[in-house]
Amino acid sequence: MKKISRRDFLRTVAGSALFACPLSGIYAQELKGQVKESHAPDVVFVPTPQDVVDKMLELAKVKKDDLVYDLGCGDGRIVTTAARRYGCKAVGYDINPQRVEESLENVEKNNVEHLVRIEQKDIFTLDLSKADVVTLYLLPDLNVKLIPQLDKLKPGSRIVSHDFRMRGVRPDKVIRLTSSEDHEEHKVYLWTAPLKKRKKSNPEPAATSSLKHPNLVIFVADDLGWNDVGYHGSVVETPNINGLVADGVELDRYYSYPICGPTRVALMTGRNPIRLGATGNFKEDVPGLDLGEHLMPQSFKAAGYQTFCLGKWHLGGFIDDAYLPHNRGFDHFYGHLHGSSEPYRHTVPSTGKPDWQRNGVQLNEEGKYCTDLLADEAVKLLRNRDKSRPVFLYMPFHVVHTPLREPPTPKAEKYAAKGVTDQRRQILATMVDAMDAAIGRVLDTIDTEGMRDNTLVLFASDNGGAEDKGGASNDPLRGEKGQLWEGGIRVPAAMRWPGVLAAGHKCRQVISVMDWFPTLTAALGVEPQNKRPFDGKNLWPAIRDGKEVPPEEIVIAKGDAVILDGEWKLVQVRETGRNLLFRINDDPSEERDLSAEHPEVVRELSARIKAMTDLMPPRQRTGSGRRRADQDEGERQRRGGQGRGGQRKGGQGGREGQKQTVSKNAPDQ
């Protein structure tokens, strides 16, 4: 008989009569391609892989004086592992007598009878109040059924679930691992008592439920690294971002530009910044992004949306009000124009000039933390919106861009206590923590306003984290902000739309920031009003249906250039002509250059890079004059291949804030 995965079996029989009573283990029989409940001896029991069990107990931080309850103990491997490894007491509960017998045999085999007890009971009748750790492997509906019992746990008690979430409750952490036993990817969820429940939505008003188009919310973090979010295993706590991943789709192969300004150009236009001569940041003597470019909010506004922009604009308006957000499709703008801002003083760090406004009117809100101000404004706008019209809310946060400043809460001591020793990283962690809380406030308002089921939420970073100066971490990816290695351009992202996108799905579709304009308008049924052609693609079918399509010619340039095409990534050093070729799916850390082995691929991809970069205005083609990829590659080899772990990573280009030029007159292409 063929052995099927426990997870696939659970999903296959979800909702069937098999789940009329609490589950203890998985009983499967394959008959003519159908999985059925077995009543015969030819039954296969598929337990949780041992390395997943180990990770569950590790995530729960089990201690010797803990009491562990395993609900649906199967063959008893969780309780015996907890007792054997941590010396703690444990109780396994199961309704099925065969599973109870197997568990008792396992307990005896491991000589932990003095620590472990196995009982045949209905798990939904148990008093869980004495447990310090509760382990689960049940479908989401059954996890939800346990909530009244889990509410009685002592504060600080931990709940871990293998593969399945608990709807309506935000996890503290979600991690993924590939088991060496079944070679499948597994998820482990952690919750801490008291449970952090999402606010219930109010009944949706008739005017809202009959909106012509769904709502759209886009959160953009600034300089957030790959390893700066909880769901990637970071020490940084991001329960609300984790919740978007758990309740929606994790976008695992999402690419931005390596610095802030070009990413925003691509996001707002759906076009490659190379065409516009905008591969650097706009300087103060440049008005801003070409007024001939049609921006995303203009299309949404034409479709009847209320359009709000809160946060960092970074697309001009320094010397001409026509370039301000509220004159480019947004009904309301609150925030700052420059690439960097003092979080409490709301001034430009390099000059001290005030830079905080509402619709062109400068404001003095000194002393209030920028992230909290943006959340306050968002909550107010959502509560006071016109409920007969859909909302497009765009929130590009300034954090965690430098200068690093602690928010009012939490303080750096929180992360020092977690073992973070670098002071910059401690402060960055508090800034991410505060941003996550602000996102949570907005999401809670969406819930209480009855908007949840009719709102598509997108979260992403604008580029990789700044490790040298900003305390970020892009591990295990190579490189950082300002560089074209994966650590500079592959960034955390997630999307949620209840009832439309499958919860808990990991999407490996390669997506670029240029794709959002065509993708989001297609998803929401909005007709794009652009006259100039998109460079981005409509990838909504791939995201919604999980049917990936190969990436086609995504070219990113900033001094040097890179192209993603199919399985390949080519990094091109423009000053020396050196090419570095990676089979990026197999080598995400970019450790093996295959250019010498595949010269034909290098030639083909180089020609495609040239075709795109030839469109760049002449002032941009000469290169940035900053650190080259081959120079960093040489340094990396001299270090013995070290490119991570807190050391400077090899890469192309310098950082945002160094001298860059942007053409004042972008070509009409």
Side-chain angles (χ1 to χ4, degrees), residues 78-151:
I78 287 183
V79 287
T80 55
T81 300
R84 191 180 68 251
R85 182 164 299 177
Y86 298 99
C88 65
K89 294 182 179 180
V91 185
Y93 294 100
D94 212 295
I95 195 75
N96 186 283
Q98 183 179 350
R99 299 282 78 78
V100 170
E101 185 65 29
E102 289 178 2
S103 294
L104 290 170
E105 291 176 2
N106 203 4
V107 169
E108 183 178 357
K109 178 182 177 181
N110 284 275
N111 298 314
V112 289
E113 302 99 316
H114 61 298
L115 293 173
V116 177
R117 187 170 79 251
I118 305 296
E119 298 186 15
Q120 183 181 357
K121 286 188 177 180
D122 182 337
I123 62 173
F124 297 106
T125 65
L126 297 175
D127 177 5
L128 305 179
S129 60
K130 295 181 180 179
D132 299 293
V133 175
V134 176
T135 59
L136 308 170
Y137 188 16
L138 303 172
L139 284 168
D141 287 344
L142 300 183
N143 283 344
V144 168
K145 189 176 177 182
L146 283 168
I147 288 177
Q149 296 157 265
L150 297 172
D151 279 336

Side-chain angles (χ1 to χ4, degrees), residues 214 249 453-456 496-503 523 540 543-545:
V249 174
D453 292 342
N454 200 35
T455 300
L456 190 158
R496 185 192 79 181
W497 191 355
V500 178
L501 295 174
W540 179 241
I543 297 170
R544 180 194 58 205
D545 303 330

Side-chain angles (χ1 to χ4, degrees), residues 307-313 325 330 332-335 392-394 396:
T307 53
F308 308 136
C309 176
L310 310 179
K312 171 177 167 176
W313 177 234
F330 286 107
H332 183 93
F333 170 61
Y334 177 75
F392 170 28
L393 171 62
Y394 170 51

